[in-house]
């Protein structure tokens, strides 16, 4: 076991990509915990950035909390507001907040991203995170399905939009971690366990040096 991150507290928040078993909720907390960090993860399906500041109870597709690498339990499927980020920072005193968000603000299936709305979403969260160090992981590629309407073109557009928006957070571009067309999905947006492993490995490779640097 490597203790590169011993003494670091990492708070991970995000949408459905960190809510279910075999998603990033399985991969990231276990890897960072192995590296010595104290990790707390909250995922709320369908949540957008501002939902983590002004609670929005309309997210009914699942919510999960995981402390460290505790055994995964089934998500809570009742409509759940994300816990406000201010309360989470107060409770856990993280050295770093990691945000895994983008797909829920990309307006898949619509003619365009509402840039003013998305800008307000992102800025509401980054301003509330404030001086705590922050890493923002953007979406990766999917597969087209009528249910969500995710396309590579829109995923790329969202990734490029976030790159210019998330400062002072450090941005990790999910589209750079996998080849377009390579992720396999179960519904167009959510990846298969094997593809989550590839995406998770890419996130770890990009974030470990950043976390080590923050930790020094």
């Amino acid at each position: 076991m490597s203790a590169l991150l011993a003494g670091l507290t990492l708070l991970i928040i995000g949408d459905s990509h960190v809510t279910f078993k075999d998603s990033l909720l399985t991969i990231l907390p276990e890897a960072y915990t192995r590296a010595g960090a104290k990790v707390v993860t909250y995922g709320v399906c369908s949540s957008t950035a501002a939902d983590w500041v002004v609670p929005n109870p309309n997210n009914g597709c699942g919510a999960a909390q995981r402390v460290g690498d505790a055994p995964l339990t089934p998500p809570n499927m009742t409509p759940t507001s994300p816990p406000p980020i201010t309360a989470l920072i107060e409770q856990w005193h993280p050295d770093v907040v990691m945000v895994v968000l983008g797909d829920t603000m990309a307006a898949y299936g619509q003619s365009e991203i509402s840039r003013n709305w998305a800008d307000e979403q992102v800025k509401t969260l980054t301003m509330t995170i404030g001086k705590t160090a922050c890493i923002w992981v953007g979406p990766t590629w999917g597969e087209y399905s009528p249910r969500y309407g995710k396309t590579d073109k829109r995923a790329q557009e969202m990734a490029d939009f976030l790159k210019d928006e998330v400062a002072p957070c450090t941005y990790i571009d999910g589209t750079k971690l996998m080849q377009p067309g390579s992720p396999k999905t179960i519904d167009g947006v959510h990846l298969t366990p094997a593809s989550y492993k590839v995406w998770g490995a890419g996130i770890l490779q990009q974030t470990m040096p950043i976390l080590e640097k923050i930790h020094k």
Side-chain angles (χ1 to χ4, degrees):
M1 162 163 164
S2 140
L4 287 171
L5 303 180
L8 180 91
T9 300
L10 172 63
L11 171 64
I12 302 174
I13 63 168
D15 55 22
S16 51
H17 293 304
V18 286
T19 302
F20 301 101
K21 185 174 182 288
D22 296 326
S23 71
L24 298 177
L25 178 63
T26 294
I27 298 156
L28 299 182
E30 291 173 11
Y32 295 129
T33 300
R34 276 198 302 276
K38 177 181 179 181
V39 188
V40 188
T41 310
Y42 291 85
V44 179
C45 187
S46 296
S47 59
T48 64
D51 292 345
W52 293 86
V53 180
V54 181
N56 170 8
N58 301 324
N59 297 300
C61 58
Q65 174 189 351
R66 190 179 192 195
V67 178
D69 55 2
L72 279 166
T73 52
N76 169 12
M77 298 306 281
T78 53
T80 305
S81 296
I85 188 69
T86 43
L88 294 178
I89 289 173
E90 211 169 274
Q91 181 179 358
W92 298 107
H93 306 290
D95 300 293
V96 188
V97 175
M98 183 178 293
V99 178
V100 183
L101 280 173
D103 275 330
T104 56
M105 297 177 288
Y108 296 131
Q110 294 172 33
S111 58
E112 56 185 32
I113 296 170
S114 169
R115 288 179 175 265
N116 289 343
W117 175 81
D119 170 74
E120 191 181 324
Q121 289 280 325
V122 172
K123 294 288 190 283
T124 298
L125 181 54
T126 54
M127 285 171 69
T128 310
I129 290 171
K131 292 188 173 144
T132 306
C134 169
I135 296 171
W136 192 302
V137 180
T140 193
W141 311 106
E143 295 176 300
Y144 181 77
S145 83
R147 180 176 173 190
Y148 290 108
K150 181 170 182 173
T151 60
D152 285 354
K153 183 169 182 263
R154 180 58 60 82
Q156 182 73 68
E157 206 184 322
M158 192 64 195
D160 292 345
F161 173 79
L162 286 172
K163 182 166 51 190
D164 298 328
E165 288 288 317
V166 301
C169 300
T170 303
Y171 183 54
I172 306 294
D173 186 342
T175 63
K176 299 267 197 293
L177 304 178
M178 302 178 85
Q179 290 299 317
S182 69
K184 296 287 171 260
T185 70
I186 55 173
D187 57 11
V189 170
H190 302 97
L191 309 188
T192 60
S195 286
Y196 269 124
K197 279 185 181 159
V198 178
W199 187 23
I203 293 169
L204 290 165
Q205 190 180 4
Q206 294 289 312
T207 55
M208 284 298 284
I210 299 166
L211 292 170
E212 285 173 48
K213 200 169 166 188
I214 290 168
H215 188 35
K216 275 174 183 170

